[in-house]
Amino acid sequence: MSSVFRFKQFDLIQADDVFKLTTDATLLAVLLDLPSEEGSSRNCLEIGTGTGVISLMLAQRFPELRLDCIDISPTACVLASLNVRNSKFKSRIKVSESDFLTWNSKELYDVIVTNPPYFDQSTVSTKSQEIAIARHQIGLGYFDLITRSSNMLREGGLFHMIFPYRYEDYVRSIIKKTELVISKLIYIVHHEKAKPKNMIITAMKISLGSKERSLAEKTMHFKLRKSTGEFSEEYKSALKEFLLAF
């Protein structure tokens, strides 16, 4: 069964057999930055695009951005392609069915963004193999995801990933083995007194031989809701250009 989630500038068709819209996806799309250079066309790779929502939101935010969206799921690619085709951003977004481990690009990327699966393989119980691959760390773990992303970024390019807070130390340990240097950490909390559940990490590609490999890590906390349960003002402000509710 399919459904439609309406944004201010595009509609998102969703289906039961493709991972549906989440708060994580929308937060990643509105909180990430591009490299600081201005005035030129830049390119972005989204790994595991699903419905295509992150790339559609990025295309709305950054008119100069060209996007490659890949997903290993044929069903997801059909759905993402439909959502892109129905949008006014279709000339800047290309959807391809591909495993990231075998993805070949003729150029390096300015930005790589991903909202990867969150569950260990031991927890898989879903009957649909495509949903299982989309929701669990079966074919692509953090190590392969991060190290290959490092290799596919240009110098000064940015890697953005949202993932569970409990994996922070593990993700940091992988990044240290690459040419990536952490530049920003956003801890996402559900309310003021809650501990972080998820986080967004931003890392810049800086060659190992460069003298500029020392970056100050910027840290911030992003609160989703007030103590009353209503969405926080920072959440409303971040999503106001996208969600009809705001």
Side-chain angles (χ1 to χ4, degrees), residues 37 40 66 102 142 147 156 177 183 207 211 231 241:
E37 294 88 346
S40 60
R66 296 176 290 109
T102 58
Y142 287 132
T147 54
K177 299 174 183 177
S183 59
S207 296
K211 297 179 181 179
F231 283 118
E241 298 300 323

Side-chain angles (χ1 to χ4, degrees), residues 32-42 62 64-65 110-111 154-158 160 183 202 204 215 218:
L32 66 79
D33 301 313
L34 296 188
S36 57
E37 294 88 346
E38 297 181 359
S40 60
S41 175
R42 287 173 282 186
F62 305 109
E64 76 279 17
L65 193 63
D110 297 295
V111 181
R154 69 160 178 81
E155 186 77 3
L158 295 177
H160 303 279
S183 59
T202 297
M204 179 180 290
L215 292 178
K218 297 179 180 178

Side-chain angles (χ1 to χ4, degrees), residues 185-204:
L185 301 163
I186 302 176
Y187 297 97
I188 300 167
V189 297
H190 280 270
H191 54 82
E192 189 171 352
K193 296 182 179 180
K195 294 182 179 180
K197 182 178 180 182
N198 296 330
M199 62 182 292
I200 297 172
I201 198 163
T202 297
M204 179 180 290

